[in-house]
Amino acid sequence: MNTNSDSWPRFYNFASNSRLTDSLVYALARKEAFLQHTRLQKQFSHNAANLTDLWTMMALRFILKNKLLFSPKAEALNSSPSENKVVLDVQGVLNDPWSWQIALDFPNTMIYGFRLGRSLQTKSNTGEQPQQQEEQIQHQNQQQNSQKSSSGPTRERRSSIVSNNSINSEQSTHSIQSIQSVPSYIAAKYTIDHTGGCPEVEQQLHGKGAGPANYIPCVGHTLKKMPFDDNTFDIISAKSLWYFVSRDDWDLVLKELFRILKPGGCIEMVISDFIILNGSRADQFYWGRVKEGTDRLGLEQIPSAVLPHYLYNVGFKDVNRALIALPRGWGGQMGHVTDLLALYYTESIINTFASLSPDEMEHFTSMSKDSEETFSANQMSLVYATKPEM
């Protein structure tokens, strides 16, 4: 069975059996499982999330009142089913499951999941060479053309949202010949794109029936030039930009997101800053190593502090930011929820950016288990802004 098509039933089973209170009721058990490294390693697919990722997503969803979209615009998504409402989820490490959950939360809205493709400068997971990949693209395009005559109105609606320029792989800036690399420190988390920027082909690659009926996966090659027409989306959810957009690229990326957002639409972002609040001396050492790593990569250390300026600079208005401290080791049911979130983000950040030796990593892991004595906290921000009406 196609691994991607198999991942959707697994996720749906998880989501269907998850109650709104699970993040609170099972927070302690989930945190202890995380700390004891008993995480379920079997992947839903080669690029999807494991069980701990899903626990963390549900914990954040619980904090956001049981929906992953939180701007005022999101409140109206399900109010008028007859309207053509479309959301773009700019994916990160979690990829499809995050978009799937948004689609389940808003069944009357079309959800597009946009992920970055990996550069063809390296081999794909199947070991194909670029020439073989191009042949596969041609074969897939032929299959796509032969199926167009028999496709129904749902497929036509799904494909109409994509700019015609993105489908012509010979002329488009999203051509298979001009794929741009995602940053090397994150590239391994993404798969090779075989679509030439066309979500119709990507739907075939995911396997028939992979994902909710109101979800369409799409692959692109850069956030600076995306395969969508102007004024397309009601909401853009971009919860991972903080760790792969450099300080020099924020203006360019936000300008592109501004272009494809409808007038009156909202952009939503979750930001985890590369700092720790009230950290111990050991915490400060490890987060100092994180700063060294983010400086080398040209990332903003506290992106939430500068993001409002970037948003206003490209034309957004009504920028709103809420700073959230995620306590570590403060106790209580809700404290265990924030523990899980804080530890998850901390481990991900330390693993990715701190360049620790095996001994240092072992010390950091043991220190994390004793976080109850430090009363430290991670800093997270919820940010949303509106594109002015014309």
Side-chain angles (χ1 to χ4, degrees):
M1 179 180 289
N2 182 293
T3 55
N4 281 320
S5 62
D6 186 47
S7 64
W8 163 240
R10 292 174 180 272
F11 172 82
Y12 186 74
N13 182 62
F14 171 85
S16 299
N17 289 284
S18 293
R19 296 170 297 180
L20 299 181
T21 57
D22 281 356
S23 293
L24 194 64
V25 173
Y26 301 115
L28 178 58
R30 291 175 176 181
K31 183 187 75 171
E32 289 178 344
F34 182 93
L35 289 173
Q36 295 301 322
H37 302 282
T38 57
R39 291 191 290 171
L40 183 64
Q41 295 301 313
K42 183 177 181 180
Q43 301 292 313
F44 287 125
S45 70
H46 63 277
N47 69 329
N50 62 26
L51 189 55
T52 302
D53 295 320
L54 295 179
W55 287 346
T56 307
M57 180 184 73
M58 290 301 183
L60 182 59
R61 182 171 173 266
F62 174 79
I63 290 176
L64 297 177
K65 298 182 179 180
N66 301 313
K67 287 185 174 62
L68 292 177
L69 302 182
F70 53 84
S71 69
K73 189 75 173 179
E75 297 177 3
L77 286 181
N78 284 334
S79 60
S80 302
S82 60
E83 295 183 16
N84 185 22
K85 297 174 182 176
V86 191
V87 170
L88 176 67
D89 181 33
V90 180
Q91 297 177 347
V93 173
L94 203 54
N95 281 340
D96 287 331
W98 191 291
S99 301
W100 289 343
Q101 187 60 57
I102 295 175
L104 294 177
D105 288 339
F106 300 94
N108 298 318
T109 302
M110 186 65 72
I111 311 299
Y112 273 69
F114 181 89
R115 75 165 183 256
L116 292 174
R118 190 177 173 185
S119 173
L120 279 180
Q121 295 174 359
T122 59
K123 295 181 180 180
S124 71
N125 292 334
T126 58
E128 294 175 317
Q129 299 294 337
Q131 182 178 356
Q132 292 174 308
Q133 292 168 345
E134 292 176 11
E135 292 175 354
Q136 181 176 354
I137 294 165
Q138 294 175 0
H139 175 66
Q140 290 165 344
N141 287 338
Q142 290 173 357
Q143 288 182 330
Q144 176 192 4
N145 292 334
S146 65
Q147 293 175 358
K148 279 184 178 179
S149 59
S150 60
S151 61
T154 301
R155 180 170 289 277
E156 291 175 3
R157 179 191 174 194
R158 289 177 170 185
S159 62
S160 64
I161 197 171
V162 182
S163 169
N164 290 333
N165 291 333
S166 68
I167 298 177
N168 187 338
S169 62
E170 295 180 358
Q171 299 177 359
S172 170
T173 56
H174 305 277
S175 165
I176 201 70
Q177 288 85 3
S178 62
I179 289 180
Q180 299 186 15
S181 299
V182 296
S184 58
Y185 62 89
I186 208 71
K189 301 180 185 295
Y190 295 95
T191 58
I192 291 288
D193 167 37
H194 297 290
T195 72
C198 178
E200 288 271 326
V201 179
E202 177 62 10
Q203 176 70 8
Q204 296 172 21
L205 291 178
H206 270 248
K208 184 177 181 181
N214 59 324
Y215 170 67
I216 294 294
C218 185
V219 174
H221 311 135
T222 173
L223 294 175
K224 301 174 189 177
K225 182 69 174 177
M226 301 178 73
F228 304 107
D229 289 326
D230 296 353
N231 308 320
T232 296
F233 298 99
D234 295 274
I235 293 176
I236 295 176
S237 174
K239 296 179 173 64
S240 302
L241 298 185
W242 53 276
Y243 65 81
F244 62 75
V245 174
S246 70
R247 62 174 62 94
D248 295 332
D249 288 340
W250 271 108
D251 277 346
L252 294 174
V253 170
L254 290 177
K255 282 180 182 178
E256 182 65 357
L257 298 179
F258 184 90
R259 177 187 69 81
I260 63 178
L261 190 65
K262 291 179 182 178
C266 284
I267 182 172
E268 301 185 8
M269 284 174 278
V270 174
I271 304 293
S272 181
D273 292 318
F274 297 105
I275 59 173
I276 191 166
L277 305 175
N278 195 39
S280 65
R281 184 174 299 178
D283 284 325
Q284 297 303 327
F285 168 77
Y286 288 113
W287 285 87
R289 295 287 289 273
V290 169
K291 184 180 186 304
E292 294 173 3
T294 55
D295 284 345
R296 285 194 302 270
L297 296 166
L299 301 177
E300 295 282 3
Q301 188 188 16
I302 311 179
S304 67
V306 296
L307 189 55
H309 168 74
Y310 290 139
L311 288 165
Y312 280 122
N313 191 49
V314 302
F316 286 100
K317 69 173 186 177
D318 299 332
V319 178
N320 291 265
R321 179 184 63 165
L323 294 176
I324 300 175
L326 298 175
R328 295 176 53 192
W330 291 27
Q333 275 186 305
M334 194 62 200
H336 296 317
V337 175
T338 62
D339 278 351
L340 177 63
L341 283 166
L343 290 169
Y344 177 89
Y345 280 107
T346 296
E347 184 189 67
S348 299
I349 290 171
I350 295 293
N351 277 334
T352 305
F353 299 103
S355 300
L356 302 183
S357 68
D359 289 341
E360 289 173 330
M361 195 65 214
E362 183 177 353
H363 177 262
F364 170 76
T365 301
S366 63
M367 185 187 71
S368 297
K369 297 179 181 180
D370 300 326
S371 61
E372 287 78 2
E373 300 177 1
T374 66
F375 295 99
S376 59
N378 285 61
Q379 180 168 293
M380 176 178 285
S381 301
L382 306 180
V383 181
Y384 70 85
T386 304
K387 181 176 179 177
E389 297 278 0
M390 291 183 178

